[in-house]
């Protein structure tokens, strides 16, 4: 489906996402106005610290806004555009890389296929607010818009650090491998000219699963980085503790973990040493049930370590990675075919929560891509366990409508205090302000709905909106 | 619960289903006005082509509007009216068929028990728009309304073909058995006096499951119809391919399949021949796991054939058929106790999508009666795989509110292009215009909600509404 | 998160929970006005009949409003307040019971942590309407509000019977053990000065599961109460039948049952006698699958007995009891960590419904804490089986927003007649009027939404609202 040829104005409305009813809209405006200019706290994302440390100009518009963003890739792919035409390297070696201008045109010509999606919504805000465009992308203006953005990217005001300031970012957490030396973070922290906070997050998914092809290399890299032998499971845990301390010394306040399921049953020391040794010797000798047991135990240990060292534990089970093997083989991971699985928390997390659910200072933030668990599992868990926080809707459900459904489902059981605040989870640097603005608007709309139905006062709504963008993420993530 | 005795006016409001807020309502009206008179494209339904070919007057009002419609039967049954009192033949042989007038009275006396349901909503539109009634059914007017409708049914304007024209139907797809000779379709296509398109749809659920009592007869009937021996599995596939070609020659653009689950793992040729031979020899020798494996393989073959011959593949797993055995034994199938199962697509369809998810020209339309899968599975699948389309909410969730929830859930991941357009799925011929009108109104309401929250422009909303009733079903179903 | 120091007015708005749109609000007001003063019918709750029979003054405000209410406990606990600080007896023996005044202060200081929850909503109505307070609880007014309520509780107007009258309660069902002598019920029924109806409900969850530690004592107590030997399974069934008759003689119209799942497959007499005998001899010899089979059979027998004696069968599977063992061991059950499981009805109830789903006079009311089953299972079951009624949303989903979602999901398949009417399910006596009022407002809002979208008339809405608070619970619960 291609765009109609007429030019459409691009002018994001100042009242967008607010309720239509004039009374409710006035309240939403008041609530939003109280937070619209608040600094951005981004405690969970995938921007590379080296990008900000190096502060080099961005490459062309497509390489910045399309090729690395799996949200954009998947919708273009769903509408018939091959990933090779979007600049993704073809690992089969037959690749002919299209020019950025050609990639940009794909987006422009498929603009209609994004109608009503949050991806288009963010893009519109971003193109207008960051890049000063006033027409919607179309076949007719694709070249001109490409050139306009490319020119801007060459200017000093569009370098990563300048954007960090103009976006109003106060805290930006990155996601980093367990053996990372965090040199970019250290460089930024030591730089008196850079006043933002760029914090690492400890993520070591590979160590959970001894059947992953990268398990042995990652375990070895942790040994090297920590100087601790990981030949035993006890050694691995000691090495992980050391690496976590290293991250804490570099500003980290949290870990992040993605696993297939939230099973958390602990193993005896003997059992975990046995499986660990077998996996080091010959991964193919580890059965599926042994691998699962090892993984579940590791999730339990993760919580145990958080109780010890105070790092906030983020957990997002339930994503099926790389659903389409031919695409994985040809274009690698993060190409738009990670898909949601059925969510489950209450039963699988029970061993972990029995042990640590009331441990002082332990924070466990649960994320899901299956909305059904908000009212059935995450809200009720956050509404009893001091440790549990209801993570913001994320990835597929990071949308205005889904944020409203999340608030409605979770507030009933857990109010606002036990939530995470907004999480942009993005590798699309320039979309950060648009995403946070969307969340502030969606929360203002939800709070306004409570005000106009006289469930809370307008004063409470404004106070809560302020907490959501500041006190709540600071407290939840120990910032 | 019986109807109050006072007479209630029946006057469907021109603004029904539109949002209450005056600004939003005005937008919804504009959007709806752009499509309200558009021709009806009905790519999935259960009207019999022979009915239109023969063009005989309908029997009495109850036999047209109540007895064959399981939507109506189930609600009356739930409120204490036995199916024998609604004209269903009692297979136990003790049947005394009630007069149509008596059946009609049951509906009239239980009108209150339908309040707020889509069944009552369709009925009201139908009674008013098609039959010109201006009072709600009640005990007091039951006889008069029955007589009024009976008189109309005797007139030429109420013959099937005249209604086809006055309903504004452009395309009507039927559902047909794999050995059907499609004589009625051929007759209609050859008739210069009939300008509508009545297209067959290839449906052969029985061949999927070798433990079904009708598996052997259906397999035999396909051999006879195709002239190809189905004694081997390879023969069955060849015969099915031939029958699909026959359907294509008679205008078919799609197949339809209902299965218990969406499992799609292929078997080796040896395995499927082995189970096929065993089932032909002695169905009772086929184990449950063999039957499941055979069924899952057949779903995979179905996709393979669609990739070859271009027929759109419709799939609706997840319905538990004939939940109440005593009712099945006494009154047969389609008597209101088919019930929704938990939906699951992403994992079970993986083998099929690994193989064919990006095959050029392959269209796979997924339907569900479990709403939870729209945001978790169907939306995300349609938002990556070129082959996957998100089918409209169907059967139990074919309602104004559920259509809104569907649009909200699916649009986030897949926008509008990758959806099916409205599916009436009905055997109630006279409800077709009411159902399509309901969907147009519900979509107008959803689009208006995006406009008044400034997520899309009014121009985009009108353009999209037009696509939903025309371009989208034409493209999805290759019409 | 502590309360801001400024004083906030407490003045529940007369239009609370109604839609914001002025037209819709006017309709909601009209609908609500028709039912706001209707007597309260409470067919399912946990107030102790002895409380009303004895009619003694309540103890202090905390012991009335906080310590026994797990809704309040869990949110305070989630926000860091230990149960020992809320007056729960510490079974480990190290308990130092805090004064009521100190407990009350915990609530006041955490008032912000309840924002937007139904618990705060009920509390506000209750504090204002029942206790005449006009400030929101805060650290600053905690002592004064505590003293104010304590003074009122000492006055005759705040004795249980006086409140029964001033709350406008017409029928109050309690929940009672199978061996209970129902002396308090008998005393109330015999008292000419007490005109309310306080009805027992037969609940015997312990007999379903032979591996429960209280199974043998409860089975023995039923033998003693009935004078029938329960040494055989047949004896147990006979004793249960006798006890049910006893309950019926004391006014009971219903049973209530909570089980882990809704499995209902019957066993042969031999099998159930075998497991029963084994469990009496040595419960540890009963395997998990035997226990499950015994439990599923008992659910089937429960329905069989209801068909015989006419008691309405209430069923609420799907709650994981006492999720946090350390809390259970220290503070006992009902301390806020019962959590929702995934709901499932259609498949597990099939044997029971095959046998009794169309039995004359059988009423089976299904409750869930998993919202996803309303549209997928409970609505469709209630929309076919004469016996099945869709229970109101309950416990975690007993909230204004969830009531709206329930109505939308269930009405589509089952309209209003096949629902239960509101269920307060509370042990918080003084919250009863606030909870029923909330439900009446939420239903008025839902009905108004149907009126302003022209799906039903305002007259129908008023008529339906009246049925929901009177005819429907009377018919469903045979009152």
């Amino acid at each position: 489906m291609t765009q109609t040829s007429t030019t459409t104005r691009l002018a994001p409305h100042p009242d967008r996402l607010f309720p239509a009813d004039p009374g409710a809209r006035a309240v939403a405006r008041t609530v939003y106005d109280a937070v619209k200019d608040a600094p951005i706290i981004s405690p969970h994302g995938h921007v590379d610290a080296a990008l900000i440390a190096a502060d080099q100009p961005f490459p062309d518009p497509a390489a910045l806004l399309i090729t690395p963003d799996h949200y954009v890739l998947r919708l273009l792919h769903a509408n018939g555009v091959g990933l090779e035409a979007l600049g993704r390297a073809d690992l089969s070696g037959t690749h002919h890389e299209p020019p950025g201008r050609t990639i940009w045109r794909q987006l422009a010509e498929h603009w209609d296929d994004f109608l009503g999606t949050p991806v288009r919504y963010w893009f519109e805000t971003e193109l207008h607010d960051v890049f000063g465009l006033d027409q919607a992308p179309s076949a007719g203006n694709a070249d001109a818009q490409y050139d306009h953005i490319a020119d801007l990217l060459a200017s000093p005001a569009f370098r990563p650090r300048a954007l960090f300031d103009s976006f109003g970012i106060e805290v930006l957490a990155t996601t980093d491998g367990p053996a990372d030396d965090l040199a970019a973070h250290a460089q930024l922290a030591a730089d008196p000219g850079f006043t933002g906070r760029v914090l690492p997050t400890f993520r070591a998914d590979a160590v959970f699963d001894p059947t992953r092809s990268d398990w042995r290399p990652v375990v070895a890299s942790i040994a090297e980085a920590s100087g601790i032998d990981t030949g035993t499971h006890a050694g691995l845990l000691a090495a992980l503790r050391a690496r976590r301390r290293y991250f804490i010394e570099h500003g980290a306040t949290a870990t992040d973990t993605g696993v297939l399921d939230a099973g958390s049953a602990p193993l005896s020391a003997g059992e975990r040493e046995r499986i660990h040794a077998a996996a080091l010797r010959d991964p193919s000798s580890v059965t599926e049930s042994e691998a699962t047991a090892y993984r579940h135990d590791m999730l339990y240990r993760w919580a145990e370590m958080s109780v010890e060292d105070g790092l906030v534990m983020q957990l997002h089970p339930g994503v099926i990675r790389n659903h389409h093997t031919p695409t994985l083989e040809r274009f690698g991971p993060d190409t738009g075919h990670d898909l949601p699985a059925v969510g489950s928390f209450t039963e699988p997390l029970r061993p972990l929560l029995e042990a640590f659910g009331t441990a002082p200072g332990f924070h466990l933030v649960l994320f899901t891509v299956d909305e059904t668990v908000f009212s059935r599992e995450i809200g009720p868990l956050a509404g009893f366990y001091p440790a549990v926080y209801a993570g913001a809707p994320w990835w597929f459900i990071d949308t205005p409508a889904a944020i409203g459904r999340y608030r409605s489902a979770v507030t009933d059981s857990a109010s606002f205090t036990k939530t995470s605040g907004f999480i942009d989870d993005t590798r699309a640097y320039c979309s950060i302000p648009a995403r946070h603005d969307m969340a502030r608007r969606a929360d203002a709309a939800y709070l306004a709905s409570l005000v106009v139905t006289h469930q809370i006062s307008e004063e409470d709504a404004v106070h809560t909106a302020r907490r959501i963008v500041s006190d709540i993420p600071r407290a939840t993530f120990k910032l």
Side-chain angles (χ1 to χ4, degrees), chain A residues 261-286:
Chain A
D261 66 80
S264 64
L267 289 179
S268 69
E271 266 302 277
R272 49 190 204 258
E273 290 295 357
R274 190 183 64 71
I275 302 171
H276 187 81
L280 281 177
R281 213 163 41 234
D282 176 10
S284 71
S285 72
V286 177

Side-chain angles (χ1 to χ4, degrees), chain A residues 81-88 95-96 98-99 102-104 106 331:
Chain A
V81 185
L83 296 176
E84 71 285 357
L86 296 168
R88 296 297 293 208
H95 187 52
H96 164 70
T102 307
I103 297 170
W104 184 266
Q106 293 285 6
F331 298 104

Side-chain angles (χ1 to χ4, degrees), chain A residues 24 71 267 365 406 442:
Chain A
Y71 288 79
L267 289 179
V365 189
Y406 157 80

Side-chain angles (χ1 to χ4, degrees), chain A residues 11 40-41 92-93 117 138 143 229 243 271 295 338 343 359 370 401 410:
Chain A
I40 288 175
I41 295 176
S92 67
T117 65
S138 71
D143 284 346
D229 180 12
R243 293 305 300 160
E271 266 302 277
R295 177 162 57 78
D338 293 347
D370 175 2
V410 167

Side-chain angles (χ1 to χ4, degrees), chain A residues 201-426:
Chain A
T201 303
F202 189 73
R203 181 162 183 179
D205 291 2
V207 305
F208 284 71
D209 181 356
T211 61
R212 272 173 65 147
S213 61
D214 55 353
W215 182 80
R216 284 203 291 192
V218 169
V219 165
S221 74
I222 292 169
E224 195 182 325
S226 65
I228 297 173
D229 180 12
T230 59
T232 64
H233 191 268
L236 175 60
L237 293 182
L240 286 166
R241 283 184 166 92
R243 293 305 300 160
R244 293 168 65 110
R245 277 196 302 276
Y246 185 84
F247 270 64
I248 292 170
E249 287 156 16
H250 286 75
T253 69
T255 69
D256 182 32
T257 301
V259 278
L260 190 59
D261 66 80
S264 64
L267 289 179
S268 69
E271 266 302 277
R272 49 190 204 258
E273 290 295 357
R274 190 183 64 71
I275 302 171
H276 187 81
L280 281 177
R281 213 163 41 234
D282 176 10
S284 71
S285 72
V286 177
T287 67
E288 198 178 311
S289 76
E290 284 173 334
T292 300
Y294 186 94
R295 177 162 57 78
H296 290 179
D297 174 79
M298 188 58 89
L299 199 68
Y300 183 94
R301 301 301 149 202
W302 225 245
E304 193 169 45
M305 289 187 255
S306 271
V307 170
E308 292 164 15
D309 65 21
L311 285 176
V312 173
M313 180 172 168
Q314 300 178 81
L315 183 65
H316 45 85
V319 176
I320 301 163
R321 302 280 170 181
N322 302 307
H323 192 263
H324 191 241
T325 304
T327 296
L328 174 68
E329 289 172 349
R330 193 163 161 211
F331 298 104
D334 296 325
T335 41
H337 50 110
D338 293 347
L339 291 170
V342 173
S344 183
F345 292 85
T346 305
E347 280 292 10
L349 280 179
R350 194 168 188 167
L352 188 161
L353 290 170
E354 295 265 18
F356 310 115
T358 60
F362 178 44
H363 290 198
L364 173 63
V365 189
L366 302 178
F367 295 100
T368 187
V369 282
D370 175 2
E371 293 189 52
T372 67
V373 306
F374 285 132
S375 105
R376 186 181 62 228
E377 310 197 24
I378 290 180
L381 286 167
F384 172 75
Y385 284 104
V388 176
Y389 291 78
W394 168 73
W395 202 337
F396 290 94
I397 51 178
D398 171 14
T399 76
I403 289 174
R405 295 193 294 265
Y406 157 80
R407 284 287 176 210
S408 179
V410 167
T411 305
D412 280 348
S413 282
S415 188
F416 297 92
T417 311
K418 299 300 299 296
T419 62
S420 69
F422 181 65
I423 297 297
D424 58 62
D425 186 44
T426 193

